[in-house]
Amino acid sequence: MITVITFNPSIDRLYKLDTFEIGMVQRASFVNPTAGGKGLNVAKVIKQLGENPRCLGFLGGYNGLYIKNELNKAGIVNNFTEIDGESRICLNIIDGDKNSTEILEKGPNINEKNILDFESKLDKVLENSKVLVASGSLSQGMPVDYYKRLGKICEKKGVKFILDTSGKSLEMAINENLYLIKPNIDELELLTHKKINNKEDAINASRFLLEKGVKNVCISMGKDGMIFLNKEHIYDVKIPKIEILNTVGSGDSSIAGFAYGVINDYSWEECLKLANSCGMSNALYMETGYINKKDIKTFSNEIKVSKYNLDS
Ligand code: ADP
């Protein structure tokens, strides 16, 4: 089973306006609320691929109930820890010129008791999990080294830990049994304190992460595909050009592709084709965390994966 953690889920409300003028009363021509947060996007795509993921994390208040209800409607099994605060709402306002303005709440505070409640659920769920995915930032009030702690828990239980986060909490976790991380170029620069100008720089920076103990490093590069490294090989993934509509959630969709591939014992070539196809398919639609199986089939045939020995 795949377990997916989202510590700070949100109701993502998309508003479309003809014009967006500061200081004026605005009327929305279209409103679309969805259950969001990086981990929930991952879970939605895993479900569409045909696995039944289990979601954990924190939910609270009416917003929390809304999110839970949306997951139940989508048939996504969830066992969130209830908290006193209110889960957040994030706004994305798109005007007639397709400019996007986002307003993101920080989300509720988590206390020690919430963390203990979460860990007792996690402990049970991990007994039946082969893969744990944690995506997105920690909640307010959580210790910054919490993902490092999750790495330790996974190591003890023999669970493959895929971590998709950034900043200090990722930096603190990298020598803690991480099975796979997927920084983009900006995140890789932050993590390694190096400027990345080309693929060669990205490969050298990733070697540093392998030396720290990360087992597999994937650098996602938007329209330029991916580079993937482990102790044995480098994989260079080239993808076809497509007409995109909305790339928000493409990174989460590729994480879903990796998790699906790993649980189904795919080779790395197959995993990379699936991960990129999922990211690309998501980019074709307005909805975040939506993929289409027909696209996956088409793109998988068009994506080229080249494999090299690490020291070549
Ligand atoms: P993140 O959202 O984490 O920054 P990326 O933007 O690199 O991740 O997207 C993840 C994957 O989604 C890419 O490796 C690629 O396969 C696909 N993708 C993202 N943006 C595009 C794009 N503009 N054109 C084609 N594919 C894309």
Side-chain angles (χ1 to χ4, degrees):
M1 188 173 71
I2 305 169
T3 296
V4 183
I5 293 175
T6 318
F7 285 126
N8 206 1
S10 62
I11 301 179
D12 289 345
R13 292 183 72 85
L14 174 78
Y15 288 92
K16 280 195 184 163
L17 312 179
D18 293 336
T19 55
F20 183 34
E21 290 173 64
I22 293 166
M24 301 296 287
V25 173
Q26 315 278 304
R27 292 193 193 278
S29 57
F30 175 83
V31 183
N32 184 32
T34 50
K38 285 169 72 65
L40 297 193
N41 296 336
V42 175
K44 282 190 246 176
V45 174
I46 292 173
K47 177 81 184 171
Q48 290 163 74
L49 287 171
E51 284 288 331
N52 277 315
R54 181 176 295 263
C55 289
L56 297 186
F58 300 114
L59 282 181
Y62 286 111
N63 295 340
L65 281 177
Y66 178 89
I67 294 168
K68 191 173 170 57
N69 192 38
E70 287 297 296
L71 291 175
N72 290 344
K73 277 200 288 190
I76 296 177
V77 180
N78 57 88
N79 192 6
F80 281 86
T81 302
E82 267 183 51
I83 54 168
D84 287 338
E86 184 76 35
S87 292
R88 63 191 178 141
I89 295 179
C90 294
L91 304 183
N92 183 6
I93 300 161
I94 299 187
D95 67 19
D97 294 328
K98 298 213 167 102
N99 294 310
S100 155
T101 307
E102 288 190 74
I103 302 171
L104 311 179
E105 291 182 22
K106 277 189 181 159
N109 257 303
I110 299 305
N111 60 35
E112 242 170 76
K113 181 177 175 303
N114 300 146
I115 294 178
L116 288 176
D117 287 352
F118 162 78
E119 284 185 358
S120 82
K121 287 176 193 282
L122 182 70
D123 201 48
K124 288 193 196 99
V125 166
L126 287 188
E127 293 303 321
N128 302 314
S129 300
K130 185 168 155 191
V131 175
L132 178 73
V133 180
S135 282
S137 49
L138 296 167
S139 295
Q140 291 193 86
M142 293 181 77
V144 67
D145 64 350
Y146 195 73
Y147 282 132
K148 181 182 170 89
R149 176 165 168 72
L150 282 187
K152 281 202 167 87
I153 294 175
C154 286
E155 179 154 38
K156 248 196 223 153
K157 302 236 179 213
V159 173
K160 290 175 173 161
F161 184 25
I162 299 178
L163 179 59
D164 188 19
T165 189
S166 54
K168 196 81 194 150
S169 60
L170 174 59
E171 199 175 333
M172 294 185 87
I174 53 169
N175 48 9
E176 214 52 70
N177 185 46
L178 300 183
Y179 185 69
L180 173 66
I181 61 173
K182 191 206 68 62
N184 57 28
I185 296 288
D186 293 344
E187 289 161 353
L188 185 64
E189 286 185 345
L190 270 177
L191 194 56
T192 58
H193 309 286
K194 289 195 173 96
K195 186 93 196 97
I196 314 285
N197 294 311
N198 49 42
K199 279 192 175 176
E200 209 182 320
D201 290 349
I203 290 170
N204 286 331
S206 305
R207 281 177 196 252
F208 164 79
L209 299 173
L210 294 176
E211 279 159 23
K212 288 273 177 198
V214 182
K215 297 204 173 52
N216 301 287
V217 179
C218 171
I219 313 300
S220 71
M221 299 182 302
K223 65 178 175 26
D224 296 321
M226 275 179 192
I227 291 178
F228 180 94
L229 284 93
N230 55 31
K231 280 248 158 79
E232 292 86 39
H233 297 112
I234 299 177
Y235 299 81
D236 186 359
V237 185
K238 294 207 167 61
I239 63 176
K241 197 171 160 35
I242 52 167
E243 282 297 316
I244 56 155
L245 198 56
N246 176 17
T247 59
V248 177
S250 281
D252 305 332
S253 303
S254 14
I255 287 287
F258 275 119
Y260 182 92
V262 168
I263 200 121
N264 286 295
D265 298 322
Y266 281 21
S267 67
W268 283 123
E269 282 95 335
E270 290 169 323
C271 276
L272 286 163
K273 285 188 175 185
L274 181 61
N276 279 271
S277 301
C278 289
M280 291 169 71
S281 179
N282 175 80
L284 295 181
Y285 305 97
M286 208 55 213
E287 199 179 323
T288 301
Y290 172 78
I291 56 150
N292 179 310
K293 283 219 174 147
K294 253 188 172 169
D295 303 336
I296 304 291
K297 210 167 163 204
T298 311
F299 294 148
S300 293
N301 287 325
E302 294 172 351
I303 292 169
K304 298 271 172 288
V305 181
S306 312
K307 179 177 171 181
Y308 308 95
N309 286 333
L310 188 58
D311 289 316
S312 65

